[in-house]
Structures are given as C-alpha cells and as structure tokens.
C-alpha cells in the first residue's frame, strides 16, 4: 500500500491564503453591489429629477410673460395692445435673514406704489414664503423709482419681474366685442377669449444663481430664454363705423329716454363681415370691473355705504346684496346682446315671411288683403288686432308690407302654411347659431313643428308670421334679412378678418362662407323693391335720406316673458329698424334696437318713429364714408346741400353767374356794382335753391337774429319762418307736404341768438308711423 506524501507547511499556507482572497473578493463584491446599484440609480434613473432639484437649490427662476398679440380693426387701427410693465415682488425669507429695517422698506414701497404699507409689512412676516407679489403690472415710472430705491439703499429681497399689461386705446368703443383679459393676461371675454390661443405667446424665463439663504448672486450665473410674442388678430370691425353706430345709438338713448340700453350691428350683406357691433350701456375694458353706468355705480356705492353703517346680521345681509348686485351689473355690461340675447323681432320679421311666401308662390304682388282693424283666427280665443285700430282697408301685397299690417300677414302666414314657414325659418338659420367666432352665442327659440302645423289652431302660425311669441338673436335676424336682399345667399357672419405673425406674415384669412341658398335671385330682387317702398311710402318714411335709395323694415315688439314685482306682464317695448342700402345694389345692413323707450318724451313708441331715424343717421354717415355718393332726383337735387361760393369782390354780373351755377338764388342789398360782403360766408354748406344775401354797400356789424320755434310745423311753414328770419333750413328725415309730417326737433334750438345766414337743421317725422 502506497502512503500519501506529507504536505509541506508552506503549501498549506498558500492554500489558506488563496481561500482568504477568494472569500474577501466575494465579500467585497457583495458589499459593493448595493453601492453600485445605488450609484446607477442616482446617476442614471434619477438623474433628471436630482439635477432639477440641484438646479432649484442653486438657482432662482422667474418667468417672462410673452407679449400678447395686438388686435387691429380692418384698417390696422389698434384696438387692443400689450405694453411692458413689471411686477414688484419680495422674498420674505431673504428679507427676514437680511437684518434690514423692514418697516422702512414697507413704508417706502408703499409710498412709491400707493399700496398700504401695513399690507406690505404683513407679507414680509411669513418667512415660509419665498415669493410674494406686492403689486402687479407696475408702470415704468413707478418701476424705475423702485429700482432706484433698491440700488441706492442696497436692498435685498425686493425684486422686479417683467410682465405685460393690456391697453384698449379706444376706451369703451367696441367693448363687448373686444372683451378683456385677466391679471394673468388670459382672455376672459369677447375676441380676447375667443382668440386667446392665437393671441397668447410662449413664456420666457430668467434663471440666476442664489446663495445659501436664497439671496440672489448677481454676476455668478444667468440664463435668459426669450418669450415668444403671440400672433396678431385683424378684425372686420371698422373703428370709424363702430364710432358712428355707437354715437347715434347713444343720441337715441338720450332723445327717447331709453331705460334699458340699446344694441346694434352693421354688416356687409355680401360677405358676412361685421363692420360694427355694439351694446349700450357699455364699459371700459381698461377697467372692466368698474360699473360703466354712472348712475348705477352711484346707487351701488350708496348701498355699500349703507352696509358699512349697519352692524351685525343686517350688515352681512346688505353686503351680500351689494356683492350680488355688483356681480349682476358687471355681467350685464359685459354681455354682448347682439349674439347672446334673444328678443321678439316684431314686424321686422315680416320681410322673412313675405320672402318665403313669394318664393313658394303662396302669394303674388297682385294679391289683395282686407284689414278692418281686427280679425278672428282659428284657435285664438280673442280677435287678432292690427296696430291700426281703424284698419288699412283693401291693400295689395306691397301695401301690406308698407303698412306693416298684422291682419294681412296673418293671412299670408296661413297661405304659406305652418309646415312651409317652419321650413323657411330653418332655412334662414333662425334656429341655429350663426357660427361667428365669438363665444356665448345663443340660438333661436321657435315653435316646434307640431305646434305650427296644428290643423285645429292657427294661433301660433299667425303670431309667428308677423314676428311675435318667439325669440331670435339680433345677429340671426340681420343674417336672415341679408339673405333676403343679397340674392338669397345665407352666409356665415365673421368678425376675424386675418391672423398675422409678429413679423406681419398672413397666417390665416377668413373667406366668405356660404351656408345655403334660401330664395331665388328673382324673389330677392322683388323683396328689394318692396323693402325700398317701405321707406318711400310706408312706416319707415323717417329713414329717408336724400340722394340714397334706402330700404328696410320697422319693428315694435313686446316683452312677453317679463313681469313686474306683482307678477303682471310689463308694458315695456323694444323698438327697432333694419335698414339696407343702397337698394339698387344692396351692400350694407344696419340694425338698431332700443330697449324700453320712455313714454314721457312725447314720441309715440314705435320702430318707425324711433328706430328708423336712428338707423337713418347711421347710414347718412356710413354711406359717404364707404365711398357711396348720393344720386339726387330732380326734386332732391334742387334741395341738396351746396357749398356757398366766395363772391366778395366780384361784380354783380359775375356773382349772379356763379350763384346760378351753384343752384342758389340771391338778393342784392344796397346800390353799387361790386359785392362787398355776403351771407352766408364762403364755404358754408346750405340747402340748394336757398336765397343768399349780397351787400353792395358796407355793413358795420354782422346782424344776429333769434331762432324761431318750428317744432310741430309742417315743412313749408317751417321753411317760411326760418327764411323770414334770414336763416336756412336743412331738412332731415321724412319729406312731403302732408298733415302727418311735421318737425320734431331743431338745432340750434328755438330762442337761441345766431348770426343771420345760419343753417338750422330741422328733423321732420312721419307721425303716422305707428309700427
């Protein structure tokens, strides 16, 4: 048997050493595996998070508000623009650790910024906050004063950060259309809200290093990312037309003592572009939280003072009532009634009914209708009355529209049938939103088909035929009547014309959008003639403008769903007129509605006597501005305004010739061969055929006269009285020598002392216009 060799001592030690190294290696690997895993987790998987935390701990970041895009009118006039301002901020934690005199800082900032110093001091006390805003949107002058104070006194913990502020250069003009932005520059209403994503840019940032206690370490590190400006929006609105509309609406509110404001719109009938849109009373979007109506603001202030003087539960109740009324007043003045409020269109709707009936052949121009003042209607418990209680007698289709006869239109509705009227109401888009870019648009409220086609009752059908007992928005009505006169095309109204990049590049352009063809060109042409006859022969004579072919329809509607404190229906009315011009080539439509004119003004409450003159005044400004020149008939031409030529220094023969060419008559005063002075002066605008005075002898002083009272007089009498006084009469409104037409206002007023030769504007009204 072979013996094993004995193991040497050195070999054993090597074996043990090897095993020790192996065990140590295994142990070391086991120890480092979690460490490596942790390192991988920290440097790979948590890298982004930890890097951000480190950056936050070492840097201060503040955002830069981007410049909001500018809003322009169609002629590139600025309606809304942003300007650079700054926010004044504090770091309470840094201020608390700085050892500075915080009372002195609060006092100085309060003085510069007109902010309560105690409020600033209170903001400084909570050192758990690193960021508090003392005042937002500080103008550059105040910001410069703060910056100088910080530099001069080596103040730390007070900072200024860039921001922008929205300005509306035109104040209240177009307020409900433009809307406004909040403190964060986000659009809250109107175009500002509807186009917020277009107008809003991309925020920038400023990153700077900060010390252990959060203090800013200037000149150590700074990174700046530019803010990207928003895009600009160009509206279809024409600021000049908007001003015309608002001016004449405001004049009507005063003249007729309108209690609940007014609304109106001007639109291009062939493109759907909105040239003006207004709701009065209004507000200033620069201070949108303030109540624009001075009387309402005063009443609310008195309510607030009453609450402050009370105590306990009474005070709380009054404050609650005050806050509720302020909120309602703000919502009311911000509301764009042209798109958001439904109202009874009244007789303006008769143009829709007649266009539908003519298109369907339910009536013709040769048909006649009899009106005795009232008629019985199947399904009505009471007789249907016409506004003219004595009745209109026998009348043609054209005369029925001119007279705005309810009895005739009840019969036209029955001939059309409920089914067809329902169909055309939908075709004219009166039960759907128009699609305008603005938010808050309402849709019409109309009868359901079953009610309108009920064979056992024509009550709803006849009421609908002359525009009562349903509601549509003003914009829906304007769009529908535009289709009546533009060849039958129902268009989508729009208020955004273009979107521009900050460099002026056109990014988007709104095109004309045809929804559907509603009536034929032939029917549209017929309706144009009929609507023109309403102004020349019917209830809208007060919309007449010499030299222009005006058409339109009057309307007087009741508030069927408004009740007084006792639950009784109110007698308030909305009077309106829809005017179109020129009728030989319709281009513009104007609607003005006056909500609740006073009964104490002496005017009969009707669209013909209040709405028609207001729209007339708008069109009288609008048409020349848009380049549409008057074309006078021979009769109108003789009375058209002419500019008085300068004949001083001319011989009597030369003066005669020049005046005859201008369409003026003359009277020489004194003896001589040369004109030494004239009345009126050169360049004065006076009615054609007027007689001018030419002095052939020296006149020491210009004579003055007292303006006679011509209100209530007919045209011939008024002209005679003014002529006898050496004054000239400019006729405005209805024309014709009838008992129904008389002067309702004059300017200068009766009793004023004026120079001989002054032109007196006299408005004549057809007082028989009761609808």
């Amino acid at each position: 048997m072979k013996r094993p060799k004995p193991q040497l001592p050195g070999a054993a030690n090597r074996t043990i050493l090897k095993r020790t190294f192996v065990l140590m290696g295994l142990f070391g690997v086991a120890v480092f595996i979690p460490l490596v895993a942790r390192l991988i987790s920290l440097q790979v998987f948590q890298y982004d998070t930890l890097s951000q935390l480190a950056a936050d701990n070492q840097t201060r970041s503040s955002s830069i508000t981007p410049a909001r895009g500018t809003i322009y009118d169609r002629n590139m006039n600025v309606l809304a623009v942003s300007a650079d301002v700054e926010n004044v901020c504090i770091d309470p934690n840094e201020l608390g650790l700085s050892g500075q005199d915080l009372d002195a800082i609060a006092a100085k900032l309060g003085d510069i910024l007109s902010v309560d110093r105690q409020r600033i001091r209170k903001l400084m006390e909570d050192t758990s906050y690193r960021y508090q805003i003392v005042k937002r949107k500080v103008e550059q002058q105040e910001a410069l004063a703060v910056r100088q104070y910080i530099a001069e006194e080596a103040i730390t913990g007070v900072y200024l950060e860039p921001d922008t502020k929205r300005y509306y250069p035109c104040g209240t003009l177009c307020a409900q259309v433009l809307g406004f932005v909040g403190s964060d520059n986000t659009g809250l209403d109107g175009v500002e809200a509807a186009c917020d994503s277009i107008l809003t840019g991309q925020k920038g940032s400023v990153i700077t290093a900060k010390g252990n206690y959060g203090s800013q370490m200037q000149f150590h590190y700074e990174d700046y990312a530019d803010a990207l400006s928003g895009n600009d929006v160009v509206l279809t609105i024409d600021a000049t037309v908007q001003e015309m509309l608002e001016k004449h609406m405001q004049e009507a509110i005063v003249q007729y003592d309108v209690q609940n404001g007014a609304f109106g719109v001007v639109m291009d009938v062939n493109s759907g572009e909105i040239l003006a849109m207004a709701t009065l009373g209004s507000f200033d979007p620069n201070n949108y939280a303030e109540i624009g109506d001075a009387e309402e603001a005063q009443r609310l202030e008195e309510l607030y003072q009453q609450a402050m003087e009370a105590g306990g539960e009474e005070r709380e109740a009054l404050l609650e009532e005050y806050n509720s009324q302020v909120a309602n007043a703000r919502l009311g003045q911000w509301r764009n009634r042209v798109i958001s409020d439904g109202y009874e269109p009244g007789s303006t709707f008769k143009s829709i009914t007649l266009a539908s009936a003519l298109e369907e052949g339910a009536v013709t121009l040769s048909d006649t209708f009899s009106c005795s003042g009232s008629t019985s209607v199947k399904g009505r418990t009471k007789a249907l009355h016409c506004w003219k209680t004595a009745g209109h007698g026998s009348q043609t289709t054209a005369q029925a529209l001119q007279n705005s006869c309810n009895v005739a239109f009840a019969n036209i509705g029955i001939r059309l049938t409920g089914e067809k009227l329902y169909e055309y109401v939908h075709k004219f888009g009166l039960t759907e939103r128009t699609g305008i870019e603005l938010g808050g648009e309402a849709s019409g409220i109309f009868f359901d088909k079953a009610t309108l086609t009920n064979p056992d009752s024509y009550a709803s059908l006849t009421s609908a035929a002359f525009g009562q007992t349903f509601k549509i928005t003003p914009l829906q009505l304007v769009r529908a009547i535009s289709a009546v006169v533009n060849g039958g095309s129902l268009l989508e109204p729009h208020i955004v014309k273009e979107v521009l990049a900050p460099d002026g590049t056109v990014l988007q352009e709104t095109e004309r959008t045809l929804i559907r063809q509603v009536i034929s060109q032939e029917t549209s042409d017929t309706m144009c003639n009929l609507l023109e006859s309403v102004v020349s022969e019917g209830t809208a004579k007060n919309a007449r403008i010499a030299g222009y072919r005006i058409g339109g329809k009057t309307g007087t509607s009741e508030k069927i769903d408004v009740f007084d404190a006792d639950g009784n229906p109110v007698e308030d009315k909305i009077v309106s007129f829809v005017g179109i011009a020129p009728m030989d080539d319709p281009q513009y439509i104007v609607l003005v509605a006056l909500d609740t004119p006073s009964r104490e003004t002496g005017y009969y409450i009707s669209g013909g006597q209040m709405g028609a003159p207001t729209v007339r005044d708008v069109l009288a400004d609008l048409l020349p501005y848009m380049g549409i020149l008057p074309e006078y008939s021979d009769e109108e031409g003789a009375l058209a305004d002419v500019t008085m030529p300068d004949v001083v220094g001319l011989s009597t023969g030369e003066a005669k010739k020049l005046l005859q060419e201008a369409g003026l008559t003359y009277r020489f005063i004194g003896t001589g061969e040369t004109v030494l002075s004239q009345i009126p002066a050169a360049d004065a605008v006076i009615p054609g055929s007027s007689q001018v005075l030419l002095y052939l002898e020296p006149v020491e002083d210009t004579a003055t006269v007292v303006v006679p009272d011509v209100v209530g007089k007919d045209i011939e009498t008024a002209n005679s009285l003014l002529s006898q006084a050496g004054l000239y009469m400019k006729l405005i409104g209805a024309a014709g020598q009838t008992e129904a037409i008389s002067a309702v206002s004059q300017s200068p007023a009766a009793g004023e002392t004026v120079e001989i030769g002054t032109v007196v504007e006299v408005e004549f009204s057809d007082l028989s216009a009761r609808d």
Side-chain angles (χ1 to χ4, degrees):
M1 180 178 180
K2 189 176 181 179
R3 284 185 177 180
K5 291 182 179 181
Q7 193 171 22
L8 297 175
N13 290 337
R14 283 194 299 273
T15 300
I16 292 172
L17 188 60
K18 287 179 180 180
R19 289 176 179 175
T20 299
F21 283 137
V22 170
L23 290 173
M24 288 179 65
L26 292 174
F27 181 75
V29 170
V31 170
F32 278 97
I33 284 175
L35 181 59
V36 171
R38 181 60 175 163
L39 289 173
I40 292 173
S41 174
L42 292 174
Q43 297 193 17
V44 178
F45 298 109
Q46 298 184 55
Y47 176 80
D48 292 337
T49 301
L50 295 174
S51 296
Q52 185 61 49
L53 288 173
D56 291 343
N57 191 49
Q58 300 170 41
T59 61
R60 179 193 302 277
S61 177
S62 58
S63 63
I64 302 174
T65 303
R68 190 172 177 84
T70 301
I71 301 176
Y72 297 97
D73 83 337
R74 65 188 302 114
N75 299 314
M76 300 306 290
N77 296 307
V78 174
L79 298 178
V81 65
S82 292
D84 292 334
V85 291
E86 298 187 66
N87 298 327
V88 178
C89 316
I90 59 172
D91 183 335
N93 180 271
E94 183 179 352
L95 284 168
L97 295 170
S98 67
Q100 302 171 102
D101 186 345
L102 301 188
D103 289 332
I105 295 174
K108 186 63 175 179
L109 290 178
D111 291 342
I112 295 173
L113 301 173
S114 299
V115 176
D116 181 18
R117 64 180 65 185
Q118 296 301 323
R119 174 180 170 274
I120 300 175
R121 189 67 181 85
K122 190 173 182 179
L123 290 174
M124 292 176 174
E125 290 174 358
D126 194 346
T127 56
S128 62
Y129 285 93
R130 305 303 303 271
Y131 178 83
Q132 292 277 27
I133 295 180
V134 176
K135 186 176 182 180
R136 292 181 181 274
K137 302 186 184 301
V138 175
E139 305 283 354
Q140 291 302 318
Q141 186 174 356
E142 285 186 347
L144 178 60
V146 172
R147 188 172 283 107
Q148 288 175 342
Y149 171 61
I150 293 172
E152 291 171 0
E153 302 296 328
I155 302 297
T156 60
V158 179
Y159 306 98
L160 291 98
E161 62 179 16
D163 199 353
T164 62
K165 182 178 179 180
R166 203 64 162 166
Y167 292 93
Y168 301 88
C170 298
T172 60
L173 189 75
C174 208
Q176 289 85 4
V177 171
L178 294 174
F180 49 87
V181 300
S183 59
D184 60 352
N185 295 305
T186 299
L188 299 180
D189 203 3
V191 172
E192 293 280 26
C195 298
D196 189 61
S197 61
I198 296 172
L199 294 163
T200 302
Q202 183 177 328
K203 287 185 176 181
S205 63
V206 177
I207 301 174
T208 57
K210 65 182 180 180
N212 292 337
Y213 299 106
S215 59
Q216 185 171 330
M217 300 174 64
Q218 296 184 8
F219 313 116
H220 282 71
Y221 171 79
E222 183 172 272
D223 185 30
Y224 184 91
D226 280 331
L228 300 179
S229 299
N231 295 319
D232 300 331
V233 171
V234 181
L235 302 182
T236 60
I237 293 290
D238 186 313
T240 301
V241 179
Q242 182 76 27
E243 189 174 2
M244 294 172 184
L245 177 64
E246 293 191 19
K247 181 186 87 169
H248 292 300
M249 285 171 57
Q250 184 59 45
E251 289 174 350
I253 287 175
V254 174
Q255 183 175 0
Y256 307 121
D257 192 19
V258 178
Q259 302 298 301
N260 296 321
F263 48 88
V265 61
V266 180
M267 190 174 86
D268 185 321
V269 302
N270 298 306
S271 68
E273 290 187 343
I274 303 295
L275 301 180
M277 181 183 287
T279 300
L280 300 181
S282 193
F283 68 100
D284 186 347
N286 291 295
N287 301 290
Y288 62 87
E290 293 183 4
I291 306 304
D293 186 314
E295 292 184 3
E296 179 68 4
Q298 179 62 32
R299 187 187 67 79
L300 290 171
E301 178 61 24
E302 291 172 358
L303 178 60
Y304 178 76
Q305 293 302 327
Q306 182 183 350
M308 290 296 98
E309 293 170 3
E313 293 183 359
E314 182 185 1
R315 178 175 184 173
E316 292 300 319
L318 286 172
L319 282 175
E320 184 177 350
E321 178 64 20
Y322 167 77
N323 290 329
S324 174
Q325 291 191 27
V326 168
N328 290 334
R330 287 172 177 167
L331 292 173
Q333 69 182 15
W334 298 341
R335 191 171 184 85
N336 186 343
R337 298 181 67 181
V338 175
I339 64 170
S340 297
D341 284 8
Y343 80 113
E344 274 196 8
S347 294
T348 57
F349 185 79
K350 290 171 180 172
S351 56
I352 306 294
T353 301
L354 184 55
S356 305
L358 289 171
E359 181 72 11
E360 286 297 313
V363 298
T364 67
L365 295 182
S366 60
D367 290 341
T368 58
F369 301 89
S370 178
C371 171
S372 62
S374 65
T375 187
S376 60
V377 173
K378 185 179 181 181
R380 286 182 67 110
T381 57
K382 296 181 180 179
L384 186 154
H385 292 277
C386 188
W387 65 266
K388 187 174 183 180
T389 55
H392 292 104
S394 179
Q395 53 195 335
T396 64
T397 301
Q399 290 170 333
L401 185 66
Q402 293 163 13
N403 297 331
S404 197
C405 178
N406 288 347
V407 171
F409 271 86
N411 284 288
I412 291 172
I414 293 171
R415 291 191 190 186
L416 178 59
T417 75
E419 183 173 355
K420 283 298 181 182
L421 180 58
Y422 182 84
E423 176 184 326
Y424 274 93
V425 163
H426 283 266
K427 280 185 176 181
F428 277 109
L430 297 175
T431 57
E432 63 188 34
R433 293 180 177 87
T434 66
I436 195 168
E437 298 92 338
L438 299 172
E441 184 180 13
S443 57
I445 301 174
F446 198 69
F447 300 99
D448 58 63
K449 190 173 184 179
T451 301
L452 214 59
T453 58
N454 182 1
D456 298 323
S457 175
Y458 291 151
S460 297
L461 171 59
T462 52
S463 295
F466 51 79
Q468 293 184 7
T469 63
F470 67 91
K471 290 186 173 184
I472 56 178
T473 69
L475 187 59
Q476 285 177 315
L477 178 66
V478 164
R479 176 172 76 156
I481 296 181
S482 293
V484 169
V485 300
N486 71 5
S489 300
L490 187 72
L491 305 175
E492 182 176 275
H494 60 277
I495 206 161
V496 175
K497 186 176 180 66
E498 293 176 330
V499 174
L500 307 178
D503 64 359
T505 303
V506 178
L507 302 177
Q508 176 186 321
E509 193 170 0
T510 306
E511 301 291 340
R512 177 181 186 270
T513 302
L514 174 65
I515 304 300
R516 66 182 72 91
Q517 189 73 19
V518 184
I519 58 175
S520 66
Q521 181 68 56
E522 181 182 359
T523 300
S524 179
D525 291 341
T526 299
M527 285 302 302
C528 285
N529 292 330
L530 293 174
L531 289 170
E532 184 176 6
S533 74
V534 174
V535 174
S536 60
E537 304 174 53
T539 58
K541 292 188 184 76
N542 296 327
R544 169 192 168 275
I545 305 173
Y548 291 102
R549 295 177 60 180
I550 310 297
K553 186 68 193 75
T554 55
T556 306
S557 58
E558 300 175 349
K559 297 183 178 181
I560 58 173
D561 56 353
V562 180
F563 302 89
D564 61 21
D566 298 323
N568 300 313
V570 299
E571 296 183 357
D572 298 352
K573 296 182 185 297
I574 296 179
V575 300
S576 62
F577 181 69
V578 180
I580 308 105
M583 291 313 295
D584 53 333
D585 180 22
Q587 295 185 44
Y588 303 107
I589 183 169
V590 180
L591 163 67
V592 169
L594 308 174
D595 189 347
T596 316
S598 171
R599 299 177 182 276
E600 308 301 323
T601 61
Y603 291 90
Y604 186 85
I605 297 177
S606 71
Q609 291 197 31
M610 296 176 171
T614 307
V615 171
R616 173 202 67 211
D617 293 342
V618 175
L619 287 170
D621 287 346
L622 171 69
L623 295 174
Y625 172 74
M626 301 305 290
I628 301 175
L629 301 178
E631 296 180 3
Y632 297 105
S633 64
D634 292 341
E635 182 180 355
E636 291 174 332
L639 299 174
D641 289 345
V642 296
T643 301
M644 176 67 187
D646 186 357
V647 297
V648 173
L650 300 183
S651 67
T652 55
E654 291 171 329
K656 286 180 183 179
K657 181 180 180 182
L658 200 57
L659 292 172
Q660 288 172 348
E661 290 175 351
L664 297 170
T665 60
Y666 49 85
R667 178 158 62 96
F668 291 111
I669 299 176
T671 59
E673 296 297 324
T674 303
V675 178
L676 300 182
S677 61
Q678 63 181 62
I679 294 179
D683 297 326
V685 177
I686 59 177
S689 301
S690 296
Q691 185 182 77
V692 300
L693 305 179
L694 305 179
Y695 293 88
L696 305 180
E697 296 177 351
V699 179
E700 294 184 0
D701 298 311
T702 302
T704 60
V705 295
V706 175
V707 178
D709 186 358
V710 298
V711 172
K713 304 294 191 294
D714 59 35
I715 293 175
E716 185 176 338
T717 303
N719 190 43
S720 176
L721 287 172
L722 292 171
S723 295
Q724 290 171 18
L727 303 173
Y728 300 103
M729 184 180 81
K730 180 177 180 179
L731 186 155
I732 300 173
Q737 196 62 31
T738 69
E739 293 182 359
I741 296 177
S742 64
V744 293
S745 66
Q746 65 180 81
S747 179
E752 289 190 27
T753 300
V754 298
E755 292 183 358
I756 287 180
T758 297
V759 176
V760 179
E761 292 187 351
V762 183
E763 179 182 356
F764 290 88
S765 179
D766 176 12
L767 302 182
S768 67
R770 298 297 178 101
D771 188 41

